[in-house]
Amino acid sequence: MAIQFGTYYTLILAAVVLLVGKFMVQRIRWLREFNIPEPVAGGLVAALVSWGLNATTGVQPSFDTGLQTAFMLVFFSSIGLSANFAKLREGGIGLVVFLVVVVVFIVVQNSVGVALASALGLDPLIGLIAGSITLVGGHGTAGAWGQVLEDQHGIRGAVTLGIACATFGLVIGGLIGGPLAKWLIQRNDLHGPQGSGGEGDALEAGAQNFEFPHKTRRITADAVIETMALFAGCLAFAEFMTHAMAGTAVQLPTFVWALGGGVLIRNALDYVFKFEVFDRAIDVFGNAGLSIYLAIALLSLKLWELAGLAGPLVIILAAQAIVMAAYAGFVTFRVMGRNYDAAVLCAGHCGFGMGATPTAVANMQAITNQYGASHKAFLIVPMVGAFFIDLVNAVAIQVFIKMFG
């Protein structure tokens, strides 16, 4: 028996999930020590409750996915609206180096997936589904490429399989990033900048968007209205471009167009119209969108579907989690400088390497709330994880499909 929760009830339950997660992290010591993000903690409890209901009564709760998509687009729009060219220049060589590290990892991730699938007697393309299609790509890429693999390559159930793998990655990415970064920080005796982190209420000068979501950001009603108009512009641009470019060589997921629209609008306002954008309001909207998106995503997690995955696929996904943690700890950390910023970048890399950019940001927030600011990480990860990586991943997937399809 299916129970459908409408828009309002979904939003109410998402807020409850976030409050439960916050309560758990405040009261349960090991959640704080391992830097588990609040939406992940609360979301897993909600998923377990849904699983219990399904196991005992056969009820299958479902939630408004349109609301989840809307808040995801708000989050990505906020990244674009925060990315003026001056900030991109601040990323400098570090942004390029991190992008190269991530590109190499995509090749590693797909190679592991294809090799294990072949060794376990599965179609190599299933290894791609349990590779960068779903883990780096997330739910949107899983749905798009899953349909291609069903229609053109005969992989039955590829879309369902992809959504399940993407959901697994979203959870695991949120669970391994914080503990790995904590281990790197303690093992190498690293320290964040003095006077930052969870202490105090006011937001420090120079903080990047998404840093310290619990700190005070003073905004006005006029700023809120202006910011809502900016977000509406990003979403309108994303909707138009998604339909206009459908079926062309530059077809991209809607969230990429939302981010790109934000970049265009922000820099046009900065450099053409000389209009001062209110970053603090964008930050509030972005953090709220991030939290609610993750809450609804995990609230919608159907553990009974994951439990039904074939044994070989579970082996592949478990191996991918181990490879992700090892690569971040031994490659990403070393290449990015073996310092505190590098440790925070590792938390972010685990987030979008296994799940999605919102998970990456949540991982980094959990670390910086405890150990201190990392402006470099919050400058680099959202742009690489939300924009550049989707373009690179699309090319990598096409290459692997041509090789093994």
Side-chain angles (χ1 to χ4, degrees):
M1 181 175 65
I3 298 180
Q4 176 69 43
F5 289 90
T7 301
Y8 302 132
Y9 294 104
T10 299
L11 186 56
I12 291 170
L13 290 173
V16 172
V17 165
L18 293 174
L19 291 174
V20 169
K22 183 177 181 179
F23 177 82
M24 291 174 62
V25 171
Q26 288 177 342
R27 297 301 180 91
I28 301 175
R29 183 177 177 181
W30 69 268
L31 290 176
R32 294 194 305 274
E33 289 184 345
F34 287 98
N35 303 106
I36 304 301
E38 294 172 3
V40 174
L44 286 177
V45 171
L48 289 171
V49 171
S50 295
W51 186 29
L53 284 173
N54 179 260
T56 56
T57 67
V59 169
Q60 295 187 15
S62 58
F63 303 89
D64 185 359
T65 56
L67 194 63
Q68 177 184 341
T69 301
F71 280 106
M72 178 187 70
L73 294 178
V74 166
F75 167 73
F76 283 108
S77 296
S78 69
I79 295 175
L81 289 171
S82 303
N84 65 352
F85 292 140
K87 283 188 177 181
L88 291 178
R89 286 195 297 269
E90 286 179 33
I93 189 64
L95 190 150
V96 177
V97 172
F98 186 67
L99 179 59
V100 172
V101 169
V102 173
V103 169
V104 173
F105 174 72
I106 288 177
V107 176
V108 171
Q109 190 174 69
N110 282 335
S111 299
V112 169
V114 168
L116 285 176
S118 300
L120 294 168
L122 302 175
D123 190 310
L125 293 182
I126 293 180
L128 282 184
I129 297 175
S132 74
I133 286 179
T134 62
L135 301 182
V136 169
H139 288 80
T141 306
W145 282 102
Q147 196 62 54
V148 171
L149 292 177
E150 285 188 6
D151 296 341
Q152 299 181 15
H153 299 276
I155 307 296
R156 295 180 60 185
V159 173
T160 303
L161 197 63
I163 296 301
C165 290
T167 304
F168 172 89
L170 188 71
V171 175
I172 296 301
L175 291 177
I176 66 176
L180 174 64
K182 181 183 178 70
W183 177 75
L184 290 171
I185 289 168
Q186 293 182 341
R187 183 173 184 269
N188 295 278
D189 193 27
L190 304 175
H191 302 279
Q194 295 296 319
S196 61
E199 301 177 0
D201 186 52
L203 186 68
E204 65 179 66
Q208 301 295 333
N209 286 62
F210 307 112
E211 286 189 85
F212 313 128
H214 298 304
K215 292 202 173 187
T216 300
R217 290 158 168 82
R218 295 179 175 85
I219 60 177
T220 65
D222 287 342
V224 169
I225 293 171
E226 292 172 0
T227 305
M228 289 177 63
L230 295 179
F231 277 98
C234 294
L235 300 184
F237 177 82
E239 182 180 40
F240 174 79
M241 294 301 295
T242 299
H243 292 297
M245 297 299 165
T248 69
V250 290
Q251 179 176 340
L252 294 170
T254 304
F255 71 83
V256 176
W257 289 120
L259 186 149
V263 173
L264 293 174
I265 291 172
R266 173 57 188 266
N267 288 281
L269 292 174
D270 280 349
Y271 299 107
V272 178
F273 298 100
K274 307 299 181 183
F275 179 84
E276 185 176 354
V277 176
F278 205 74
D279 280 308
R280 292 199 297 274
I282 292 173
D283 205 5
V284 169
F285 276 73
N287 275 306
L290 163 66
S291 296
I292 297 175
Y293 161 73
L294 286 175
I296 297 176
L298 291 171
L299 190 64
S300 305
L301 177 59
K302 295 178 174 60
L303 290 175
W304 56 90
E305 291 183 358
L306 291 180
L309 288 175
L313 193 60
V314 173
I315 294 174
I316 297 174
L317 292 172
Q320 293 286 24
I322 295 171
V323 169
M324 176 74 262
Y327 187 91
F330 293 102
V331 178
T332 306
F333 180 66
R334 295 183 180 185
V335 172
M336 297 310 297
R338 299 175 60 93
N339 53 23
Y340 176 71
D341 286 327
V344 179
L345 282 167
C346 287
H349 190 185
C350 288
F352 73 75
M354 286 296 294
T357 304
T359 311
V361 173
N363 283 351
M364 296 192 300
Q365 287 175 342
I367 292 296
T368 55
N369 283 339
Q370 179 176 352
Y371 292 103
S374 176
H375 301 332
K376 180 179 180 180
F378 279 91
L379 188 66
I380 290 175
V381 167
M383 288 304 298
V384 171
F387 185 67
F388 295 111
I389 201 59
D390 283 290
L391 302 177
V392 175
N393 192 29
V395 174
I397 292 169
Q398 289 175 338
V399 170
F400 272 86
I401 286 178
K402 287 181 179 179
M403 291 174 60
F404 298 100

